Amino acid sequence: MSRSPTISFIGAGNMASAIIGGMLDSGFRAGDIWVSAPDDDHLQSIRKRFGVSVTTDNRYCAQQADIVVLAVKPQVMGDVCRDIAPVVQNTRPLMVSIAAGLTADTLDTWLGGGLPLVRVMPNTPSLVGKGAAGLFANSQVKDDQRNAVQKVFESIGSALWVDDENLLHSVTALSGSGPAYFFLMLEALESAATEAGIESETARALAIQTMAGAAEMAARSEDDPGQLKRNVMSPGGTTERAINTFEEGGLRDLVKKAYSAAFERSREMSRELADKQ
């Protein structure tokens, strides 16, 4: 793809809007982007907001593209793919799915077979440009296509590849579900600080900034998280006592159990979605 690719989004929900916004901020041209959805009023708001081309016709939208991003809910993905299959079998674009749980083989079958396809597991911080996405490419995807889709998802955060599609379940349990883990920690810290007498708004602001600062330190530092933790701990000090309390309470085992539960549920949902369609 020596020229800028034309990219069509089938579906116009929050994640599609986040990706489009990130792309435009990163230098993609609005004239190279198409969007389709059944609600014309919503499409017109997308057109006014971003300056992209819109249509209620999924087939027409797909026909315009070098890259087609499937951004509909997993429950309707089968119908959408089968509807556009005659078009994409003719034009042979790179297909990109951001739907959780639906395997590359399942999607390719619905699309008529033999297409280059990338599965992406984005997460909700993508909505604020701080996403962490896991990507998997089937054997039909060429290097320039990998580079093109990586550029798209790097416009809303980081984009990291996995070689085994099954690892997307692991990505789901880590970065897909992970934001909620940190929100839980924020919730717990705010509650504890409020009970200790700090106003709830102050406690929340301090907890959020502390988490954001810690994440930024981890991103910039060459030290691993264990060393960063030790850097904060003074012998006999407050942090050491708190960390010892977490360790004695089994925090590591609890995190592992929670991660495993999310991983297994991701696999279950994949099987359920395939059976329903």
Side-chain angles (χ1 to χ4, degrees):
M1 295 182 183
S2 57
R3 61 179 176 80
S4 297
T6 300
I7 301 176
S8 289
F9 289 80
I10 310 296
N14 289 337
M15 190 61 72
S17 294
I19 298 169
I20 293 167
M23 290 171 61
L24 295 175
D25 289 342
S26 297
F28 285 82
R29 298 180 303 182
D32 292 329
I33 301 173
W34 278 80
V35 184
S36 67
D39 185 343
D40 189 58
D41 289 340
H42 179 59
L43 284 175
Q44 293 309 316
S45 70
I46 294 285
R47 181 185 61 79
K48 290 177 182 178
R49 179 181 175 188
F50 296 120
V52 299
S53 300
V54 300
T55 176
T56 57
D57 188 334
N58 287 346
R59 291 189 179 189
Y60 185 78
C61 187
Q63 192 172 20
Q64 312 308 312
D66 302 300
I67 300 173
V68 176
V69 180
L70 299 169
V72 299
K73 294 179 179 179
Q75 293 80 4
V76 300
M77 184 68 81
D79 289 340
V80 168
C81 287
R82 285 186 284 263
D83 178 57
I84 66 172
V87 171
V88 296
Q89 281 296 319
N90 181 51
T91 58
R92 313 299 290 181
L94 169 64
M95 306 300 300
V96 178
S97 168
I98 62 171
L102 294 171
T103 68
D105 284 347
T106 296
L107 292 163
D108 190 48
T109 297
W110 291 338
L111 291 165
L115 292 174
L117 190 146
V118 172
R119 281 189 60 200
V120 183
M121 182 63 223
N123 65 357
T124 53
S126 300
L127 300 175
V128 294
K130 295 292 184 180
L135 294 77
F136 168 79
N138 72 3
S139 60
Q140 304 296 320
V141 177
K142 299 177 181 178
D143 287 344
D144 62 334
Q145 293 174 319
R146 285 172 67 104
N147 294 336
V149 74
Q150 181 164 352
K151 185 177 180 182
V152 168
F153 285 92
E154 284 182 342
S155 74
I156 54 169
S158 63
L160 304 172
W161 294 90
V162 296
D163 294 329
D164 182 346
E165 186 176 9
N166 286 322
L167 290 175
L168 288 182
H169 296 301
S170 302
V171 172
T172 297
L174 179 57
S175 55
S177 298
Y181 311 159
F182 293 102
F183 295 147
L184 174 61
M185 186 66 172
L186 284 171
E187 187 179 33
L189 283 171
E190 179 188 342
S191 177
T194 301
E195 290 180 15
I198 301 179
E199 291 290 334
S200 61
E201 290 184 4
T202 301
R204 182 176 302 175
L206 286 170
I208 290 171
Q209 185 58 33
T210 300
M211 185 171 288
E216 187 66 22
M217 286 184 69
R220 294 189 185 190
S221 177
E222 295 182 358
D223 292 334
D224 62 35
Q227 183 59 51
L228 291 172
K229 175 194 68 182
R230 290 187 290 273
N231 291 346
V232 185
M233 298 167 62
S234 299
T238 59
T239 308
E240 182 183 67
R241 184 169 293 187
I243 293 298
N244 287 343
T245 302
F246 280 132
E247 297 284 12
E248 292 165 3
L251 178 64
R252 291 177 187 271
D253 287 341
L254 187 58
V255 169
K256 185 176 180 180
K257 286 175 63 177
Y259 179 93
S260 296
F263 174 85
E264 289 300 330
R265 182 56 184 147
S266 178
R267 296 207 304 180
E268 291 171 3
M269 290 174 65
S270 182
R271 292 191 293 268
E272 290 169 3
L273 284 168
D275 290 343
K276 287 179 181 178
Q277 300 188 64

